[in-house]
Amino acid sequence: MTFRADRHVHILIIGGGAIGTSLAYHLARDGAEGVLLVEKAQLTHGCTWHAAGLVGQLRGKKNLTRLMQNSVEVFDRLERETGQNISWKKVGSLRLAGSEARWSEVRRAMTQAKSFGVECHSLSADEAARRFPYITTDGIRGAAFIPGDGYIDPYSLTMAYARGARQNGAAIEEGVCVEEIVSSAGRVLGVVTNGGTIGCDILVNCAGLWAKRVGRLAGVELAAGIVEHQYFLTEKKLSFDPGLTTLRDPDNNFYLKPDTGSFAIGGWEDGSRGFHGGLPPFSFGRELLEPNLERLELFALPAASRLPVLNEIGIQTIINGPIPVSADGEPIMGKAPAFENFYVACGFTAGIAASGGAGLAMSNLILHGDAGMDLWPFDVRRFSEVQAQPRYLEQRAIEAYGAYYKIHWPAEEAHAARNLRVSPLHDRLTRAGAVFGSKMGWERPNWFAPAGVAAQDEPSFEGKPNWFPQVAEEHRAIRERAALIDQTSFSKFEISGPGTEAALQRIAANDLSGPPGKAIYTQLCNERGGIEADVTLIHDGPDHVFLVTGSGFGLRDSNWVARHLPAGVAIREVTNSLAVINLCGPRARDILQPVTDEDVSSAAFPFLAARRIGLGCATALAVRIGYVGELGYELYIPQEFAAHVYDTLWAAGAAHGIANAGYRAIDSCRMEKGYLYWSGDITPDYNPYEAGLGFCVALEKGDFIGRDALLKIRAAGVGRKLCSFTVDGFAPFHGGETILLDGKVVGSTSSVGFGHTLGKTIALGYLPTDATARSQFTIEAFGQAYPALRGPRCLYDVRMERLRG
């Protein structure tokens, strides 16, 4: 396609809010030339101008805490660098806990923050009142004080980013509205604006409220929703020390920022309203919405119970404005799928607080290919078009907004927009007592409630959740008898065409050579040797391979593969056409053999073999592989035959004590085997040798992506290693706990779980290599130290006799 631009820039940023200007500042500061930011109206005119401006680092998820921590570091230097006052009031923040469950949540977050140096202090109710004298101490179980937090003026901050960007050579133009994005062959060529055309090498969507609409201009569907958010300013009748800390009382659903003689108080109420289906017109500008007093009362009245002074002063102003909220409440960042040069940074509900860290991370990603931190929890590719569908998105965004200050329990599930994608076995599993979770819109069985047990989750922070004994039974069925697991939600892709095998040899770290009829477990590495994906390749025919990956990784992993396939080799998603049933356990072969005419003995059908077999009256692609560490067969079946296959196996398994099992039992079993989970145990920040996956790296096969880096890593040795730890009995680990050696922090846990066969709590985590010679460690959770024994990565069936039997 020919695109004639009036002018050309290297990096074009759309959107002049805090995120866009921060990115422009960081790009220019890092030496990027040809940076242009265009804003359709004036800087801050989206939702930045009416933001409250609180800055809080303590978050329930460690990646978000890290992002906020990086922002504070930027705020600390920005005024000095730019000469622009940003009104950064580093007065600290006080977070109250009004229940035992909330106190557990807060202490967990503090432990995670400790792992990477965020200063936190645990306070009693009386100590909290000395920090913020206006509160009553009724019901306060404890509090966290974070000295590095505070509040900032959003307008001044944005103007400082803009000044810093210009000082370093970037250009900013206001009144320039992007009306069209021109692309060809997976590359953005430029944009058409109300003032002419602009060509670019890289385009970044930082359009805030309009990010979804801007994405659509390029054919990219973003799960970036918008809802209404309210806060109010009290009358200016208060007199307090200018160093008064900010306050958050999530159990009473409000936050507070000191203002001049007044308080700014907001909350996160249930039942907020969506805004224009996430697609406001470009003509919407610096506008507010009519207040909703009924919704305001949902946090204003609880705030008055904690702050009696609110009963003595009135409300001066109510701010009701639209704010971004993604489908899961987290930011959306990274490179848009299907494009080589189109990046996204949007969906920031706490955009002011995150702006410094987000701009830094995106700048690093664009200029150096490495964000400097794990961005997967925010990655644009964690969502599919299913989650970007406007009605689905609005329901999820409203729920995520209302849950902002709710207790975020371990393994919690969303409730809005459920039962969207169901497998052919859904009704059968429901009748069997399945308690479902949701992943990429799919309903997946997490566990099964027997008769007399309520089929609902009752999670816990420090105790055993209600599903603990049921998962133990499913675990035992897998280890001792046999189980059926519905894994239909697996992301599945067909790769075919002349040169498929050669192309995948170039992409995969492991070796695909040899005849078809096998499964290959492999990592897909980047040029630095980092693990971009962790997948199974099923080589079932000449130049025909299935790629199978986790339910939530399909878009990301297929995008990585597609970007590296040569012409003539195609990748096509087949997730929705194939059901997957995992038959696993020591009696699996005894159950499968009577219902197939094929020989499924270990000699005829060995570990990692892949065969098409008759099964009952249907045909399945059977693969000798699994994630639980037992004899097993993953069965790939056209969806219309899945119920028949399930019923056939269930009938054949009755005499062998067959059971249903869910994903929580899978997780328990995989922890005993030391099997890894991408995004937790392995990411692009880790290489296979650090993760103990060197056996999957076939350096001798010839060139592949990352080979040169991996050769150097193997020769030099690694500076850290992924290790397993066990704690006798049950310990309340949920991931992110601090690992200590001789009282010093040496790491944090990545994956955790309870091994029901071993009767131990198991954790995985990276250690500096020089620490791996030691065996006695301590893992800290909820303020308690648990003695932990470092042991071998595989804690069950170390010789793989059961798996290969």
Side-chain angles (χ1 to χ4, degrees):
M1 178 180 180
T2 301
F3 173 65
R4 296 184 181 276
D6 299 330
R7 52 187 171 138
H8 187 90
V9 299
H10 178 41
I11 302 173
L12 179 61
I13 302 168
I14 302 173
I19 302 298
T21 54
S22 174
L23 175 57
Y25 159 73
H26 280 96
L27 286 168
R29 185 176 186 267
D30 199 15
E33 297 181 352
V35 176
L36 171 63
L37 181 151
V38 295
E39 159 58 41
K40 71 179 183 64
Q42 292 179 293
L43 300 184
T44 78
H45 271 213
C47 53
T48 296
W49 71 275
H50 62 73
L54 268 76
V55 177
Q57 299 170 84
L58 191 65
R59 305 285 168 150
K61 297 180 180 178
K62 61 182 181 180
N63 307 73
L64 196 56
T65 298
R66 179 73 181 277
L67 198 71
M68 300 301 181
Q69 180 188 25
N70 291 346
S71 281
V72 167
E73 292 176 0
V74 173
F75 300 159
D76 285 345
R77 61 172 162 80
L78 186 62
E79 186 171 315
R80 182 177 64 255
E81 280 190 12
T82 65
Q84 169 77 42
N85 176 30
I86 61 174
S87 296
W88 170 219
K89 309 296 184 184
K90 200 170 184 179
V91 295
S93 71
L94 188 65
R95 182 177 291 264
L96 306 180
S99 66
E100 288 294 333
R102 179 72 69 182
W103 187 223
S104 293
E105 181 187 46
V106 169
R107 286 185 292 130
R108 180 192 177 197
M110 291 173 68
T111 298
Q112 290 180 332
K114 179 180 178 180
S115 297
F116 37 86
V118 176
E119 184 182 355
C120 304
H121 300 280
S122 177
L123 306 182
S124 67
D126 289 339
E127 289 171 328
R130 286 195 287 273
R131 291 275 183 186
F132 199 95
Y134 291 92
I135 64 171
T136 65
T137 58
D138 296 345
I140 296 177
R141 176 62 185 82
F145 180 68
I146 301 90
D149 290 352
Y151 58 97
I152 200 166
D153 177 56
Y155 178 85
S156 298
L157 174 66
T158 304
M159 292 305 165
Y161 286 141
R163 176 180 284 190
R166 291 185 176 110
Q167 288 171 343
N168 286 283
I172 296 176
E173 298 179 7
E174 297 174 301
V176 179
C177 183
V178 173
E179 299 172 341
E180 183 181 349
I181 295 175
V182 182
S183 64
S184 177
R187 285 191 63 84
V188 169
L189 303 179
V191 301
V192 178
T193 78
N194 58 342
T197 56
I198 308 171
C200 62
D201 301 315
I202 294 169
L203 181 67
V204 192
N205 178 359
C206 298
L209 297 176
W210 298 274
K212 186 172 180 65
R213 186 173 290 280
V214 168
R216 280 192 169 183
L217 295 178
V220 175
E221 289 292 338
L222 297 173
I226 308 172
V227 305
E228 295 182 11
H229 175 62
Q230 297 187 116
Y231 67 93
F232 65 87
L233 290 166
T234 68
E235 294 176 320
K236 296 183 180 295
K237 296 181 177 180
L238 298 170
S239 177
F240 46 76
D241 187 287
L244 183 67
T245 183
T246 61
L247 177 70
R248 292 168 177 82
D249 187 350
D251 291 299
N252 283 309
N253 198 24
F254 77 90
Y255 62 77
L256 181 152
K257 178 187 76 171
D259 202 36
T260 305
S262 67
F263 292 150
I265 297 175
W268 308 93
E269 74 281 3
D270 284 323
S272 181
R273 295 176 57 188
F275 185 71
H276 284 279
L279 294 163
F282 287 138
S283 59
F284 181 82
R286 197 174 187 272
E287 304 170 43
L288 292 175
L289 311 175
E290 285 295 317
N292 185 307
L293 297 182
E294 289 185 3
R295 291 208 322 269
L296 191 78
E297 287 183 348
L298 295 177
F299 62 84
L301 294 180
S305 70
R306 177 64 67 201
L307 301 163
V309 70
L310 295 184
N311 297 306
E312 302 169 11
I313 57 176
I315 293 176
Q316 177 174 293
T317 306
I318 298 175
I319 307 293
N320 184 22
I323 64 168
V325 182
S326 74
D328 63 5
E330 304 291 355
I332 302 175
M333 303 168 69
K335 187 184 291 186
F339 283 97
E340 297 177 14
N341 62 338
F342 184 24
Y343 292 83
V344 176
C346 63
F348 287 85
T349 304
I352 304 303
S355 62
L360 175 63
M362 287 298 298
S363 176
N364 286 335
L365 183 64
I366 293 168
L367 297 182
H368 309 297
D370 182 358
M373 63 172 291
D374 179 14
L375 284 186
W376 170 246
F378 318 130
D379 197 303
V380 61
R381 294 165 296 179
R382 76 187 187 275
F383 294 127
S384 68
E385 288 193 10
V386 170
Q387 291 147 302
Q389 198 274 347
R391 292 199 176 193
Y392 177 99
L393 173 59
E394 183 163 282
Q395 291 180 45
R396 280 292 176 97
I398 289 172
E399 181 182 55
Y401 170 89
Y404 203 82
Y405 271 178
K406 290 181 180 175
I407 294 174
H408 293 286
W409 296 98
E412 68 179 352
E413 295 282 352
H415 300 287
R418 293 293 297 268
N419 295 310
L420 182 64
R421 305 172 81 182
V422 297
S423 89
L425 309 180
H426 185 78
D427 289 345
R428 284 168 170 76
L429 301 182
T430 299
R431 291 193 294 270
V435 181
F436 292 96
S438 176
K439 182 74 75 172
M440 278 301 213
W442 284 101
E443 296 294 311
R444 316 190 312 169
N446 279 337
W447 62 284
F448 288 82
V453 174
Q456 63 184 32
D457 284 350
E458 295 177 13
S460 174
F461 281 107
E462 300 187 56
K464 295 177 181 177
N466 70 316
W467 63 78
F468 190 88
Q470 280 68 50
V471 171
E473 286 299 320
E474 295 169 28
H475 178 114
R476 279 190 281 274
I478 293 170
R479 290 282 187 250
E480 299 171 6
R481 306 187 310 276
L484 293 177
I485 308 174
D486 180 10
Q487 296 178 333
T488 297
S489 68
F490 272 3
S491 293
K492 303 170 284 285
F493 299 85
E494 180 185 58
I495 306 172
S496 60
T500 291
E501 293 164 29
L504 289 175
Q505 280 285 65
R506 164 74 180 158
I507 296 170
N510 213 336
D511 189 3
L512 279 75
S513 63
K518 61 182 179 296
I520 302 97
Y521 170 57
T522 185
Q523 290 70 51
L524 314 183
C525 295
N526 57 38
E527 295 288 357
R528 301 183 308 277
I531 301 171
E532 291 287 345
D534 185 66
V535 303
T536 298
L537 299 176
I538 303 171
H539 187 191
D540 81 320
D543 281 327
H544 190 274
V545 174
F546 286 104
L547 181 150
V548 182
T549 187
S551 308
F553 307 139
L555 185 59
R556 188 188 196 285
D557 293 357
S558 63
N559 178 244
W560 176 264
V561 172
R563 283 163 46 196
H564 294 94
L565 289 178
V569 178
I571 182 169
R572 179 176 71 96
E573 184 165 11
V574 293
T575 299
N576 297 339
S577 61
L578 292 174
V580 182
I581 299 174
N582 184 358
L583 169 65
C584 55
R587 309 305 296 273
R589 183 179 291 115
D590 299 330
I591 294 168
L592 181 61
Q593 189 62 80
V595 298
T596 181
D597 296 328
E598 307 296 328
D599 183 356
V600 294
S601 67
S602 186
F605 199 155
F607 181 59
L608 294 179
R611 307 272 192 278
R612 293 193 180 274
I613 65 172
L615 205 164
C617 298
T619 300
L621 173 60
V623 185
R624 272 286 310 272
I625 199 169
Y627 200 40
V628 297
E630 297 288 344
L631 168 67
Y633 306 84
E634 285 183 0
L635 305 168
Y636 295 79
I637 314 137
Q639 290 237 11
E640 62 268 32
F641 301 115
H644 166 75
V645 169
Y646 175 88
D647 291 344
T648 299
L649 293 171
W650 188 263
H656 299 283
I658 198 168
N660 287 302
Y663 275 78
R664 289 183 180 145
I666 294 176
D667 203 51
S668 171
C669 291
R670 72 101 179 172
M671 289 299 298
E672 292 185 334
K673 285 295 294 179
Y675 290 163
L676 307 185
Y677 184 68
W678 192 92
S679 79
D681 306 310
I682 47 179
T683 73
D685 294 332
Y686 300 104
N687 65 66
Y689 294 112
E690 293 172 325
L693 295 171
F695 66 93
C696 293
V697 179
L699 293 172
E700 70 285 350
K701 74 173 182 176
D703 192 31
F704 61 89
I705 299 172
R707 181 176 183 269
D708 289 346
L710 292 170
L711 277 168
K712 293 176 181 176
I713 291 168
R714 188 180 69 168
V718 297
R720 59 187 175 184
K721 291 183 179 180
L722 185 62
C723 300
S724 75
F725 304 85
T726 56
V727 173
D728 289 340
F730 175 82
F733 295 170
H734 305 292
E737 289 80 17
T738 302
I739 303 171
L740 300 108
L741 177 63
D742 299 331
K744 296 181 180 179
V745 175
V746 290
S748 62
T749 62
S750 54
S751 283
V752 296
F754 189 81
H756 289 280
T757 299
L758 301 179
K760 298 176 184 290
T761 300
I762 306 167
L764 297 175
Y766 286 88
L767 292 177
T769 303
D770 58 5
T772 59
R774 301 281 295 275
S775 59
Q776 303 291 333
F777 290 80
T778 299
I779 298 178
E780 185 177 305
F782 301 104
Q784 182 174 341
Y786 292 85
L789 180 67
R790 187 196 59 75
R793 264 279 297 284
C794 181
L795 300 166
Y796 173 83
D797 187 27
V798 177
R799 296 182 179 179
M800 310 284 276
E801 294 170 342
R802 297 173 68 88
L803 188 65
R804 298 175 182 273

